[in-house]
């Protein structure tokens, strides 16, 4: 069966990555006045070439041939780019071309995860994958001309080298060595076959080679570092010490020392001459995924799942936290005195590295001594002694476009609803391959679940989770409410569902139905009083049972409810069949308390914390040294007004306390830093001084915030 996959196409798709970046490579200019190039490989299945200028980058080519994640890429020979993918192929490209693949190598049986190339031997490239295979390729032989029949058979326009489909003659075979350990997976008459370094029984995640290509190291899920002679494929030694998967490897130029990073959070330095581990560094609190070293191999840069970038002196063990990211760090590459950092996000950042003089970084302070046991860093982190990053913002960024993470095919089979990593929801027209509606960011937490087990749509509400979602009244088109009035979606939905029941109950019991926290029982004379200590109000102090239009249910086709109370089992009834006698014996207590008394169960702290800093390059002074707190959903103009007050006005605006806190938005005890937002309107205090209002733009995650600061989006980010 043939399957046609269609990828969303647009100008942005070709200019930016839309998936996490898995690999990086830098090509230095060959002469004065030339430009350096950065190559990136992504989970979106493409590689891109970026022309680097002074604080500017341009995508000059997209290399599009892989049909799955691009997992690694290396440069060799000055103009050759080699990439590997989860599509099980290794592809060869002319890196200075317009992006056409020149050869596809098909030898792996599973995902190809890693590559290694020798700087001074451009003919040798090694590849490893989840099938446990390690192949050493002779690129000159692999790139030998193929017959015309094979050229036309390759689906992407590039020639294919595969033991099963090639028809090269015996004379086309050009092995780079011979050994009893070399496995020829196809006969010579079938074409070129790479050297196979046999020994791995499980997946291979990391490869590295020295500058001359005379030594190859590999690691993976077997937790050992294997050392090979790539000229013959023979195994030289096996090094043990890590307690979890080996995720990244690095060799010095001579091949004497090897660095390894592991999922056990440790970095180990191996002396291959002594065949032992000479140092171990407990720097990270989670898996180490990426390593890079200074030219002298005196300092190592490391990143991983803990989203932190460290630099460590291999001799003195002194370590410093350079920066923290919002996403796990997947790859590092040095470029002059900077370091490019790739993450599982679609953007790439350049940070200062001082690779030629690392002492400068340590002189800024904040360093610590790396331990030699993995739990030492974890313990330090738990005790609150985490280091402070040297840099807060990258010196330059190449932005990506958010990746799609959720989708839903609509019933008309032409439209698909998608959600990306930023929470933005869009509606796609499949027959046109384009977005026809952009609903923006959806920052409402999941407050219900659904199923179709009964053949109809069943919606499940459970306390207290169902009361976690709020929206502004204006966004629901509810008129007559203040600008900052918010409604609880679950409470209003329950009010709509039980409005018929409440009307009937008031007809039967009058004002007793909602007096003093007591709910009269329609089936016996006993009453149940709900202690106020078990519940909390919504802050309004109202007992408003008006059903707003967005929450009105049809009386012509009313839904049924299924629930149970303190006595008896579950029951089901249409909402219009309720007669008002139902009480806590058949209804859950929290439901009655919500509908009858407008009270909600206790909830966790609904405020989030965030920082407010001037944008890089701005001359504005720092407004506050500490964190600010705000409701989980907050109109961004509240933050803008706060900035205006701090920057321009000589005294607090109307509606604020002396310390800058918004009085209506603060509940409970004291806070250590000013709180931004709340439910009080801020505009009135500005009307008389509109001429003082500067142009303010708030950035969150490096993107302009247009409407809301919500749901902890900025709780750990600079704004």
């Amino acid at each position: 069966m043939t399957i046609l996959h269609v990828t969303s196409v647009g100008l942005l798709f070709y200019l930016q990555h839309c998936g996490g970046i898995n690999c990086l490579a830098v090509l230095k200019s060959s002469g004065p006045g030339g430009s350096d190039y950065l190559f990136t490989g992504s989970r979106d299945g493409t590689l891109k070439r970026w022309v680097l200028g002074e604080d500017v980058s341009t995508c000059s080519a997209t290399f599009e041939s892989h049909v799955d994640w691009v997992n690694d890429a290396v440069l060799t020979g000055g103009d050759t780019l080699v990439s590997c993918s989860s599509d099980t192929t290794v592809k060869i490209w002319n890196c200075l071309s317009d992006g056409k693949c020149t050869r596809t190598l098909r030898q792996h049986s599973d995902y190809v995860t890693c590559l290694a190339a020798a700087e001074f031997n451009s003919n040798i490239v090694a590849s490893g994958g989840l099938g446990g295979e390690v192949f050493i390729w002779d690129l000159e032989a692999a790139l030998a001309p193929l017959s015309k029949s094979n050229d036309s058979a390759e689906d992407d326009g590039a020639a294919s080298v595969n033991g099963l489909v090639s028809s090269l003659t015996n004379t086309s075979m050009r092995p780079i060595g011979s050994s009893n350990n070399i496995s020829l997976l196809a006969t010579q008459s079938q074409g070129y076959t790479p050297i196979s370094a046999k020994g791995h029984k499980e997946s291979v995640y990391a490869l590295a080679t020295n500058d001359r290509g005379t030594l190859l190291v590999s690691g993976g899920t077997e937790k050992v570092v294997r050392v090979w002679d790539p000229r013959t494929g023979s195994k030289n030694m096996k090094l043990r010490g890590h307690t979890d998967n080996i995720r990244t490897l690095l060799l010095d130029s001579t091949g004497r020392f090897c660095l390894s990073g592991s999922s056990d959070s440790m970095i180990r330095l191996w002396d291959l001459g002594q065949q032992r581990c000479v140092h171990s560094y407990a720097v990270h609190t989670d898996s180490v995924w990426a390593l890079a070293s200074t030219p002298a191999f005196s300092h190592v840069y490391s990143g991983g799942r803990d989203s932190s970038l460290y630099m460590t002196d291999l001799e003195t063990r002194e370590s410093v936290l350079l920066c923290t990211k919002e996403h796990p760090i997947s790859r590092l590459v040095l470029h002059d005195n900077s370091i490019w950092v790739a993450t599982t996000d679609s953007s790439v950042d350049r940070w200062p590295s001082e690779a030629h003089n690392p002492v400068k970084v340590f002189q800024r302070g904040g360093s610590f001594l790396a331990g030699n046991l993995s739990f030492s860093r974890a313990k330090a982190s738990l005790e609150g002694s985490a280091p402070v990053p040297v840099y807060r913002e990258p010196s330059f960024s190449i932005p990506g476009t958010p990746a799609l993470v959720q989708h839903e095919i609509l019933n008309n089979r032409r439209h698909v609803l998608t959600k990306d990593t930023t929470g933005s929801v869009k509606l796609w027209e499949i027959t046109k391959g384009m977005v026809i509606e952009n609903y923006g960011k959806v920052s409402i937490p999941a407050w219900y679940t659904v199923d179709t087990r009964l053949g109809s749509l069943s919606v499940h509400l459970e306390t207290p989770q169902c009361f976690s979602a709020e929206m502004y009244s204006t966004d629901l088109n509810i008129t007559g409410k203040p600008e900052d009035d918010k409604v609880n979606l679950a409470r209003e939905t329950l009010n709509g569902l039980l409005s018929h029941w409440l009307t009937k109950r008031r007809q039967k019991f009058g004002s007793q139905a909602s007096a003093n926290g007591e709910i009269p029982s329609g089936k016996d004379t006993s009453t149940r009083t709900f202690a106020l200590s078990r519940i909390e109000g919504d802050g309004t102090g109202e007992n408003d049972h008006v059903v707003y239009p967005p929450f009105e249910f049809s009386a012509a086709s009313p839904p049924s409810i299924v629930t149970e109370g303190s006595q008896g089992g579950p029951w089901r009834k249409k909402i219009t069949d309720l007669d008002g006698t139902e009480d806590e014996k058949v209804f859950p207590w929290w439901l009655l308390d919500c509908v009858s008394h407008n009270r909600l169960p206790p909830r966790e702290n609904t405020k989030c914390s965030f920082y407010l800093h001037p944008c890089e390059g701005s001359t504005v002074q720092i407004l506050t040294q500490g964190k600010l707190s705000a409701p989980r959903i907050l109109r961004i103009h509240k933050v803008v007004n706060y900035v205006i007050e701090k920057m321009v006005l000589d005294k607090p605006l109307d509606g604020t306390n002396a310390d800058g806190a918004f009085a209506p938005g603060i509940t409970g005890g004291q806070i250590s830093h000013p709180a931004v937002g709340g439910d009080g309107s801020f505009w009135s205090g500005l009307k008389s001084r509109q001429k003082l209002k500067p142009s303010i733009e708030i950035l969150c995650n490096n993107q302009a915030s247009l409407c809301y600061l919500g749901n902890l989006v900025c709780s750990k980010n600079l704004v």
Side-chain angles (χ1 to χ4, degrees):
M1 179 177 64
T2 301
I3 301 176
L4 175 65
H5 296 274
V6 180
T7 303
S8 57
V9 177
L11 179 61
L12 192 61
F13 177 76
Y14 288 106
L15 298 182
Q16 296 179 323
H17 283 298
C18 62
I21 308 300
N22 285 341
C23 50
L24 300 169
V26 171
L27 180 63
K28 299 281 291 181
S29 172
S30 57
S35 298
D36 294 347
Y37 294 104
L38 175 69
F39 294 85
T40 56
S42 170
R43 296 179 180 183
D44 62 18
T46 70
L47 298 104
K48 295 185 184 296
R49 182 181 68 223
W50 305 88
V51 182
L52 302 177
E54 189 66 29
D55 292 335
V56 66
S57 65
T58 304
C59 179
S60 60
T62 295
F63 300 81
E64 189 172 5
S65 180
H66 285 296
V67 296
D68 208 331
W69 287 12
V70 176
N71 294 321
D72 204 357
V74 293
L75 289 166
T76 181
D79 62 354
T80 301
L81 176 68
V82 183
S83 62
C84 67
S85 167
S86 296
D87 63 12
T88 75
T89 68
V90 175
K91 291 183 181 286
I92 304 174
W93 320 73
N94 183 333
C95 68
L96 301 178
S97 71
D98 58 358
K100 184 177 181 180
C101 177
T102 59
R103 191 60 51 89
T104 298
L105 310 178
R106 306 178 185 275
Q107 200 73 46
H108 285 271
S109 62
D110 207 334
Y111 293 1
V112 191
T113 56
C114 50
L115 297 171
E119 182 176 352
F120 300 140
N121 189 345
S122 60
N123 203 42
I124 305 302
V125 171
S127 60
L130 298 189
E133 304 132 332
V134 175
F135 294 121
I136 300 106
W137 301 87
D138 179 345
L139 294 187
E140 184 179 338
L143 289 171
L146 295 177
S147 66
K148 183 175 292 185
S149 60
N150 283 322
D151 283 336
S152 61
E154 179 63 18
D155 56 359
D156 59 9
S160 173
V161 175
N162 186 308
L164 299 178
V165 301
S166 297
S167 59
L168 287 173
T169 62
N170 292 345
T171 57
S172 298
M173 179 78 171
R174 183 181 175 275
I176 61 175
S178 61
S179 170
N180 293 333
N181 291 328
I182 299 175
S183 173
L184 299 182
L185 302 184
T187 64
Q188 290 185 358
S189 62
Q190 291 175 315
Y192 169 71
T193 304
I195 291 176
S196 176
K198 305 195 71 173
H200 279 285
K201 300 179 180 62
E202 298 178 15
S203 300
V204 177
Y205 282 114
L207 291 173
T209 185
N210 62 335
D211 286 352
R212 299 189 177 276
T214 58
L215 203 65
L216 178 70
V217 292
S218 62
T221 56
E222 295 173 85
K223 310 171 189 175
V224 299
V225 177
R226 297 181 185 271
V227 185
W228 313 84
D229 183 346
R231 297 164 294 186
T232 63
S234 59
K235 183 171 58 180
N236 291 347
M237 68 185 77
K238 185 164 56 176
L239 305 172
R240 301 181 183 275
H242 283 294
T243 59
D244 208 335
N245 302 338
I246 295 174
R247 299 302 303 268
T248 180
L249 291 166
L250 195 63
L251 275 175
D252 74 336
S253 58
T254 65
R256 171 68 185 274
F257 294 102
C258 173
L259 281 166
S260 59
S262 168
S263 295
D264 62 13
S265 77
M266 295 295 294
I267 300 171
R268 291 185 179 271
L269 177 64
W270 308 86
D271 187 325
L272 301 187
Q274 301 180 26
Q275 300 189 21
R276 69 183 184 91
C277 176
V278 292
H279 286 295
S280 57
Y281 308 90
V283 176
H284 292 270
T285 58
D286 209 330
S287 300
V288 181
W289 289 356
L291 296 173
S293 73
T294 55
F297 211 76
S298 59
H299 296 74
V300 62
Y301 302 86
S302 58
R305 194 171 182 176
D306 60 5
S307 306
S308 300
L309 174 63
Y310 289 93
M311 182 177 70
T312 304
D313 188 319
L314 295 178
E315 182 178 356
T316 66
R317 310 179 65 85
E318 188 178 9
S319 186
V320 63
L321 175 62
L322 294 180
C323 66
T324 57
K325 302 283 292 177
E326 288 303 312
H327 304 275
I329 296 174
S330 56
R331 196 59 55 99
L332 304 170
V333 63
L334 285 168
H335 183 202
D336 296 333
N337 244 6
S338 300
I339 185 168
W340 289 99
V341 179
T343 70
T344 55
D345 184 36
S346 56
S347 303
V348 183
D349 295 325
R350 185 180 68 198
W351 297 80
S353 69
E354 299 294 347
H356 299 298
N357 190 8
V359 176
K360 284 186 177 181
V361 180
F362 291 109
Q363 289 175 345
R364 301 184 63 165
S367 63
F368 62 95
L369 197 63
N372 55 11
L373 297 174
S374 60
F375 69 83
S376 60
R377 278 294 294 117
K379 181 180 179 182
S381 178
L382 290 173
E383 291 176 349
S385 58
V388 178
V390 175
Y391 307 108
R392 286 189 174 273
E393 293 292 334
S395 57
F396 181 69
S397 295
I398 300 177
T401 187
L404 300 182
V405 293
Q406 286 182 268
H407 72 278
E408 191 69 35
I409 301 174
L410 303 189
N411 287 340
N412 61 13
R413 302 304 179 189
R414 290 173 46 239
H415 294 160
V416 175
L417 206 60
T418 62
K419 184 177 181 180
D420 62 30
T421 52
T422 66
S424 180
V425 176
K426 297 178 181 179
L427 183 66
W428 293 76
E429 175 71 74
I430 297 304
T431 55
K432 294 182 179 180
M434 61 182 293
V435 174
I436 60 175
E437 191 80 36
N438 187 345
Y439 299 104
K441 293 184 179 180
V442 176
S443 57
I444 301 174
W447 56 283
Y448 62 88
T449 58
V450 298
D451 71 52
T452 54
R453 190 167 54 90
L454 301 178
S456 58
L457 187 65
S458 299
V459 182
H460 304 272
L461 300 179
E462 295 186 16
T463 188
Q465 296 90 337
C466 67
F467 296 107
S468 62
E470 293 179 332
M471 287 185 66
Y472 283 100
S473 299
T474 54
D475 292 337
L476 293 168
N477 296 321
I478 299 175
T479 59
K481 291 288 185 179
E483 177 192 15
D484 293 308
D485 180 73
K486 289 180 285 189
V487 298
N488 187 286
L489 297 182
R491 182 183 63 193
E492 301 306 328
T493 300
L494 292 173
N495 282 338
L497 279 171
L498 297 182
S499 62
H500 176 83
W501 169 85
L502 190 59
T503 300
K504 291 286 188 180
R505 191 166 186 81
R506 284 175 169 173
Q507 292 174 355
K508 289 180 178 292
F509 300 101
S511 60
Q512 296 182 57
S514 57
N516 301 322
E518 298 183 356
I519 302 177
S521 170
K523 297 187 177 180
D524 59 40
T525 57
S526 63
T527 62
R528 178 177 180 180
T529 301
F530 297 97
L532 293 179
S533 61
R534 298 180 57 188
I535 54 180
E536 63 177 17
D538 63 356
T540 65
E542 299 177 359
N543 193 16
D544 183 7
H545 294 286
V546 175
V547 177
Y548 301 121
F551 303 96
E552 293 177 344
F553 288 86
S554 171
S557 55
S560 300
I561 59 173
V562 180
T563 187
E564 62 180 314
S566 61
Q567 297 180 12
W571 55 274
R572 171 175 175 169
K573 188 178 291 188
K574 287 187 180 298
I575 59 173
T576 52
D577 292 339
L578 300 173
D579 60 10
T581 61
E582 296 83 5
D583 57 11
E584 73 276 8
K585 294 180 180 178
V586 293
F587 275 134
W589 71 268
W590 58 268
L591 184 149
L592 292 177
D593 222 36
C594 170
V595 175
S596 297
H597 308 290
N598 208 22
R599 293 198 296 255
L600 307 181
R603 291 178 289 175
E604 296 180 0
N605 181 20
T606 58
K607 291 186 178 296
C608 68
S609 299
F610 61 96
Y611 293 94
L612 195 63
H613 291 284
C615 185
E616 184 177 4
S618 172
T619 58
V620 178
Q621 65 180 358
I622 297 177
L623 303 180
T624 177
Q625 297 292 334
K627 291 182 180 179
L628 297 168
S629 63
R632 289 193 180 185
I633 179 171
L634 174 69
R635 293 188 185 278
I636 202 65
H637 76 70
K638 291 292 185 181
V639 185
V640 171
N641 291 334
Y642 178 83
V643 173
I644 293 174
E645 177 199 357
K646 288 290 185 179
M647 289 175 53
V648 181
L649 304 184
D650 55 355
K651 62 181 180 179
L653 298 178
D654 297 339
T656 64
N657 295 329
D659 63 354
F662 292 88
I666 300 176
T667 58
Q670 298 293 322
I671 58 174
S672 56
H673 296 284
V676 178
D679 296 327
S681 176
F682 208 150
W683 294 108
S684 59
L686 285 175
K687 289 181 179 179
S688 61
R689 302 189 232 187
Q690 284 294 324
K691 294 182 180 180
L692 296 176
K693 183 179 179 181
S695 177
I696 300 293
E697 184 178 55
I698 303 296
L699 300 181
C700 184
N701 288 332
N702 294 322
Q703 294 184 357
S705 298
L706 302 178
C707 297
Y708 302 112
L709 173 71
N711 281 349
L712 298 177
V713 170
C714 295
S715 61
K716 296 182 180 178
N717 297 306
L718 300 180
V719 179

